[in-house]
PDB file of all heavy atoms in Angstrom:
ATOM      1  N   HIS M  66     149.689 116.601 189.233  1.00  0.00           N
ATOM      2  CA  HIS M  66     150.422 117.396 190.210  1.00  0.00           C
ATOM      3  C   HIS M  66     150.519 118.834 189.702  1.00  0.00           C
ATOM      4  O   HIS M  66     151.067 119.077 188.615  1.00  0.00           O
ATOM      5  CB  HIS M  66     151.823 116.824 190.427  1.00  0.00           C
ATOM      6  CG  HIS M  66     151.832 115.376 190.805  1.00  0.00           C
ATOM      7  ND1 HIS M  66     151.558 114.947 192.091  1.00  0.00           N
ATOM      8  CD2 HIS M  66     152.059 114.251 190.068  1.00  0.00           C
ATOM      9  CE1 HIS M  66     151.641 113.623 192.128  1.00  0.00           C
ATOM     10  NE2 HIS M  66     151.932 113.182 190.913  1.00  0.00           N
ATOM     11  N   ALA M  67     149.991 119.777 190.474  1.00  0.00           N
ATOM     12  CA  ALA M  67     150.038 121.188 190.107  1.00  0.00           C
ATOM     13  C   ALA M  67     151.214 121.851 190.816  1.00  0.00           C
ATOM     14  O   ALA M  67     151.288 121.843 192.044  1.00  0.00           O
ATOM     15  CB  ALA M  67     148.729 121.879 190.482  1.00  0.00           C
ATOM     16  N   ILE M  68     152.118 122.414 190.032  1.00  0.00           N
ATOM     17  CA  ILE M  68     153.348 123.000 190.553  1.00  0.00           C
ATOM     18  C   ILE M  68     153.386 124.492 190.241  1.00  0.00           C
ATOM     19  O   ILE M  68     153.096 124.915 189.114  1.00  0.00           O
ATOM     20  CB  ILE M  68     154.587 122.318 189.918  1.00  0.00           C
ATOM     21  CG1 ILE M  68     154.574 120.820 190.197  1.00  0.00           C
ATOM     22  CG2 ILE M  68     155.877 122.977 190.407  1.00  0.00           C
ATOM     23  CD1 ILE M  68     154.720 120.443 191.647  1.00  0.00           C
ATOM     24  N   ALA M  69     153.759 125.293 191.237  1.00  0.00           N
ATOM     25  CA  ALA M  69     153.947 126.738 191.049  1.00  0.00           C
ATOM     26  C   ALA M  69     155.440 127.013 190.928  1.00  0.00           C
ATOM     27  O   ALA M  69     156.228 126.564 191.759  1.00  0.00           O
ATOM     28  CB  ALA M  69     153.361 127.508 192.228  1.00  0.00           C
ATOM     29  N   GLU M  70     155.830 127.721 189.887  1.00  0.00           N
ATOM     30  CA  GLU M  70     157.249 128.008 189.701  1.00  0.00           C
ATOM     31  C   GLU M  70     157.421 129.371 189.042  1.00  0.00           C
ATOM     32  O   GLU M  70     156.453 130.033 188.684  1.00  0.00           O
ATOM     33  CB  GLU M  70     157.907 126.907 188.858  1.00  0.00           C
ATOM     34  CG  GLU M  70     157.294 126.720 187.491  1.00  0.00           C
ATOM     35  CD  GLU M  70     157.936 125.565 186.712  1.00  0.00           C
ATOM     36  OE1 GLU M  70     158.094 124.474 187.283  1.00  0.00           O
ATOM     37  OE2 GLU M  70     158.275 125.774 185.529  1.00  0.00           O
ATOM     38  N   ARG M  71     158.673 129.768 188.901  1.00  0.00           N
ATOM     39  CA  ARG M  71     158.958 131.025 188.220  1.00  0.00           C
ATOM     40  C   ARG M  71     160.260 130.882 187.432  1.00  0.00           C
ATOM     41  O   ARG M  71     161.128 130.074 187.776  1.00  0.00           O
ATOM     42  CB  ARG M  71     159.068 132.192 189.196  1.00  0.00           C
ATOM     43  CG  ARG M  71     160.123 132.053 190.245  1.00  0.00           C
ATOM     44  CD  ARG M  71     160.101 133.206 191.239  1.00  0.00           C
ATOM     45  NE  ARG M  71     160.625 134.441 190.677  1.00  0.00           N
ATOM     46  CZ  ARG M  71     159.911 135.556 190.530  1.00  0.00           C
ATOM     47  NH1 ARG M  71     158.644 135.586 190.902  1.00  0.00           N
ATOM     48  NH2 ARG M  71     160.460 136.638 190.014  1.00  0.00           N
ATOM     49  N   ARG M  72     160.371 131.635 186.379  1.00  0.00           N
ATOM     50  CA  ARG M  72     161.604 131.673 185.609  1.00  0.00           C
ATOM     51  C   ARG M  72     162.671 132.434 186.387  1.00  0.00           C
ATOM     52  O   ARG M  72     162.342 133.325 187.180  1.00  0.00           O
ATOM     53  CB  ARG M  72     161.363 132.374 184.275  1.00  0.00           C
ATOM     54  CG  ARG M  72     160.542 131.612 183.273  1.00  0.00           C
ATOM     55  CD  ARG M  72     160.084 132.527 182.143  1.00  0.00           C
ATOM     56  NE  ARG M  72     161.171 133.319 181.589  1.00  0.00           N
ATOM     57  CZ  ARG M  72     161.707 133.119 180.374  1.00  0.00           C
ATOM     58  NH1 ARG M  72     161.243 132.144 179.607  1.00  0.00           N
ATOM     59  NH2 ARG M  72     162.679 133.901 179.935  1.00  0.00           N
ATOM     60  N   PRO M  73     163.946 132.134 186.167  1.00  0.00           N
ATOM     61  CA  PRO M  73     164.999 132.880 186.851  1.00  0.00           C
ATOM     62  C   PRO M  73     164.938 134.378 186.574  1.00  0.00           C
ATOM     63  O   PRO M  73     165.286 135.186 187.449  1.00  0.00           O
ATOM     64  CB  PRO M  73     166.285 132.258 186.290  1.00  0.00           C
ATOM     65  CG  PRO M  73     165.899 130.857 185.950  1.00  0.00           C
ATOM     66  CD  PRO M  73     164.490 130.961 185.435  1.00  0.00           C
ATOM     67  N   ASP M  74     164.477 134.762 185.375  1.00  0.00           N
ATOM     68  CA  ASP M  74     164.377 136.193 185.067  1.00  0.00           C
ATOM     69  C   ASP M  74     163.040 136.796 185.479  1.00  0.00           C
ATOM     70  O   ASP M  74     162.807 137.992 185.310  1.00  0.00           O
ATOM     71  CB  ASP M  74     164.635 136.442 183.579  1.00  0.00           C
ATOM     72  CG  ASP M  74     163.641 135.720 182.661  1.00  0.00           C
ATOM     73  OD1 ASP M  74     162.618 135.202 183.169  1.00  0.00           O
ATOM     74  OD2 ASP M  74     163.885 135.677 181.437  1.00  0.00           O
ATOM     75  N   GLY M  75     162.145 135.977 186.034  1.00  0.00           N
ATOM     76  CA  GLY M  75     160.867 136.483 186.516  1.00  0.00           C
ATOM     77  C   GLY M  75     159.854 136.806 185.447  1.00  0.00           C
ATOM     78  O   GLY M  75     158.754 137.292 185.764  1.00  0.00           O
ATOM     79  N   ARG M  76     160.182 136.580 184.189  1.00  0.00           N
ATOM     80  CA  ARG M  76     159.246 136.928 183.114  1.00  0.00           C
ATOM     81  C   ARG M  76     157.945 136.138 183.241  1.00  0.00           C
ATOM     82  O   ARG M  76     157.951 134.936 183.458  1.00  0.00           O
ATOM     83  CB  ARG M  76     159.873 136.660 181.743  1.00  0.00           C
ATOM     84  CG  ARG M  76     160.987 137.621 181.391  1.00  0.00           C
ATOM     85  CD  ARG M  76     161.546 137.321 180.015  1.00  0.00           C
ATOM     86  NE  ARG M  76     162.655 138.216 179.697  1.00  0.00           N
ATOM     87  CZ  ARG M  76     162.514 139.412 179.126  1.00  0.00           C
ATOM     88  NH1 ARG M  76     161.306 139.838 178.797  1.00  0.00           N
ATOM     89  NH2 ARG M  76     163.567 140.163 178.874  1.00  0.00           N
ATOM     90  N   GLY M  77     156.833 136.843 183.079  1.00  0.00           N
ATOM     91  CA  GLY M  77     155.519 136.221 183.131  1.00  0.00           C
ATOM     92  C   GLY M  77     154.960 136.047 184.524  1.00  0.00           C
ATOM     93  O   GLY M  77     153.805 135.641 184.689  1.00  0.00           O
ATOM     94  N   ALA M  78     155.768 136.323 185.555  1.00  0.00           N
ATOM     95  CA  ALA M  78     155.298 136.151 186.933  1.00  0.00           C
ATOM     96  C   ALA M  78     154.362 137.282 187.329  1.00  0.00           C
ATOM     97  O   ALA M  78     154.507 138.415 186.872  1.00  0.00           O
ATOM     98  CB  ALA M  78     156.484 136.096 187.886  1.00  0.00           C
ATOM     99  N   SER M  79     153.407 136.952 188.209  1.00  0.00           N
ATOM    100  CA  SER M  79     152.479 137.965 188.707  1.00  0.00           C
ATOM    101  C   SER M  79     153.162 138.822 189.771  1.00  0.00           C
ATOM    102  O   SER M  79     153.978 138.330 190.559  1.00  0.00           O
ATOM    103  CB  SER M  79     151.245 137.290 189.308  1.00  0.00           C
ATOM    104  OG  SER M  79     150.611 136.456 188.368  1.00  0.00           O
ATOM    105  N   ARG M  80     152.815 140.124 189.791  1.00  0.00           N
ATOM    106  CA  ARG M  80     153.324 141.024 190.828  1.00  0.00           C
ATOM    107  C   ARG M  80     152.199 141.902 191.377  1.00  0.00           C
ATOM    108  O   ARG M  80     152.450 142.911 192.021  1.00  0.00           O
ATOM    109  CB  ARG M  80     154.446 141.912 190.288  1.00  0.00           C
ATOM    110  CG  ARG M  80     155.682 141.158 189.820  1.00  0.00           C
ATOM    111  CD  ARG M  80     156.907 142.051 189.694  1.00  0.00           C
ATOM    112  NE  ARG M  80     157.509 142.333 190.990  1.00  0.00           N
ATOM    113  CZ  ARG M  80     157.409 143.483 191.639  1.00  0.00           C
ATOM    114  NH1 ARG M  80     156.684 144.480 191.131  1.00  0.00           N
ATOM    115  NH2 ARG M  80     157.995 143.653 192.809  1.00  0.00           N
ATOM    116  N   ASN M  81     150.961 141.491 191.127  1.00  0.00           N
ATOM    117  CA  ASN M  81     149.817 142.326 191.475  1.00  0.00           C
ATOM    118  C   ASN M  81     149.211 142.005 192.837  1.00  0.00           C
ATOM    119  O   ASN M  81     148.072 142.359 193.121  1.00  0.00           O
ATOM    120  CB  ASN M  81     148.734 142.205 190.394  1.00  0.00           C
ATOM    121  CG  ASN M  81     148.271 140.773 190.186  1.00  0.00           C
ATOM    122  OD1 ASN M  81     148.991 139.840 190.489  1.00  0.00           O
ATOM    123  ND2 ASN M  81     147.058 140.618 189.672  1.00  0.00           N
ATOM    124  N   ALA M  82     149.974 141.312 193.690  1.00  0.00           N
ATOM    125  CA  ALA M  82     149.506 141.009 195.043  1.00  0.00           C
ATOM    126  C   ALA M  82     150.712 140.958 195.978  1.00  0.00           C
ATOM    127  O   ALA M  82     151.832 140.634 195.565  1.00  0.00           O
ATOM    128  CB  ALA M  82     148.750 139.679 195.081  1.00  0.00           C
ATOM    129  N   ARG M  83     150.465 141.266 197.225  1.00  0.00           N
ATOM    130  CA  ARG M  83     151.527 141.256 198.229  1.00  0.00           C
ATOM    131  C   ARG M  83     152.225 139.899 198.296  1.00  0.00           C
ATOM    132  O   ARG M  83     153.437 139.809 198.488  1.00  0.00           O
ATOM    133  CB  ARG M  83     150.906 141.610 199.580  1.00  0.00           C
ATOM    134  CG  ARG M  83     151.849 141.565 200.758  1.00  0.00           C
ATOM    135  CD  ARG M  83     151.082 141.852 202.037  1.00  0.00           C
ATOM    136  NE  ARG M  83     151.895 141.627 203.213  1.00  0.00           N
ATOM    137  CZ  ARG M  83     151.417 141.620 204.446  1.00  0.00           C
ATOM    138  NH1 ARG M  83     150.120 141.821 204.651  1.00  0.00           N
ATOM    139  NH2 ARG M  83     152.211 141.413 205.472  1.00  0.00           N
ATOM    140  N   LEU M  84     151.461 138.827 198.134  1.00  0.00           N
ATOM    141  CA  LEU M  84     152.007 137.478 198.191  1.00  0.00           C
ATOM    142  C   LEU M  84     153.131 137.289 197.182  1.00  0.00           C
ATOM    143  O   LEU M  84     154.189 136.721 197.493  1.00  0.00           O
ATOM    144  CB  LEU M  84     150.886 136.469 197.932  1.00  0.00           C
ATOM    145  CG  LEU M  84     151.282 135.001 197.779  1.00  0.00           C
ATOM    146  CD1 LEU M  84     151.805 134.455 199.101  1.00  0.00           C
ATOM    147  CD2 LEU M  84     150.096 134.181 197.301  1.00  0.00           C
ATOM    148  N   PHE M  85     152.934 137.752 195.954  1.00  0.00           N
ATOM    149  CA  PHE M  85     153.929 137.562 194.905  1.00  0.00           C
ATOM    150  C   PHE M  85     155.191 138.371 195.181  1.00  0.00           C
ATOM    151  O   PHE M  85     156.311 137.896 194.974  1.00  0.00           O
ATOM    152  CB  PHE M  85     153.345 137.949 193.544  1.00  0.00           C
ATOM    153  CG  PHE M  85     152.081 137.229 193.192  1.00  0.00           C
ATOM    154  CD1 PHE M  85     150.972 137.926 192.745  1.00  0.00           C
ATOM    155  CD2 PHE M  85     151.991 135.853 193.302  1.00  0.00           C
ATOM    156  CE1 PHE M  85     149.800 137.273 192.411  1.00  0.00           C
ATOM    157  CE2 PHE M  85     150.821 135.184 192.976  1.00  0.00           C
ATOM    158  CZ  PHE M  85     149.721 135.901 192.529  1.00  0.00           C
ATOM    159  N   ARG M  86     155.015 139.589 195.632  1.00  0.00           N
ATOM    160  CA  ARG M  86     156.178 140.440 195.901  1.00  0.00           C
ATOM    161  C   ARG M  86     156.997 139.885 197.064  1.00  0.00           C
ATOM    162  O   ARG M  86     158.232 139.936 197.052  1.00  0.00           O
ATOM    163  CB  ARG M  86     155.726 141.872 196.166  1.00  0.00           C
ATOM    164  CG  ARG M  86     155.047 142.526 194.958  1.00  0.00           C
ATOM    165  CD  ARG M  86     154.831 144.001 195.161  1.00  0.00           C
ATOM    166  NE  ARG M  86     153.866 144.277 196.218  1.00  0.00           N
ATOM    167  CZ  ARG M  86     152.548 144.350 196.034  1.00  0.00           C
ATOM    168  NH1 ARG M  86     152.037 144.126 194.831  1.00  0.00           N
ATOM    169  NH2 ARG M  86     151.733 144.625 197.036  1.00  0.00           N
ATOM    170  N   ALA M  87     156.300 139.320 198.062  1.00  0.00           N
ATOM    171  CA  ALA M  87     157.016 138.718 199.185  1.00  0.00           C
ATOM    172  C   ALA M  87     157.780 137.476 198.731  1.00  0.00           C
ATOM    173  O   ALA M  87     158.902 137.213 199.192  1.00  0.00           O
ATOM    174  CB  ALA M  87     156.029 138.352 200.295  1.00  0.00           C
ATOM    175  N   ALA M  88     157.187 136.704 197.823  1.00  0.00           N
ATOM    176  CA  ALA M  88     157.832 135.479 197.346  1.00  0.00           C
ATOM    177  C   ALA M  88     159.146 135.770 196.638  1.00  0.00           C
ATOM    178  O   ALA M  88     160.085 134.965 196.672  1.00  0.00           O
ATOM    179  CB  ALA M  88     156.885 134.724 196.408  1.00  0.00           C
TER     180      ALA M  88
END
Side-chain angles (χ1 to χ4, degrees):
H66 305 281
I68 302 295
E70 59 183 48
R71 59 184 286 118
R72 289 166 49 109
D74 60 11
R76 290 181 182 272
S79 303
R80 298 197 78 255
N81 58 336
R83 176 184 172 190
L84 173 67
F85 305 131
R86 296 190 293 273

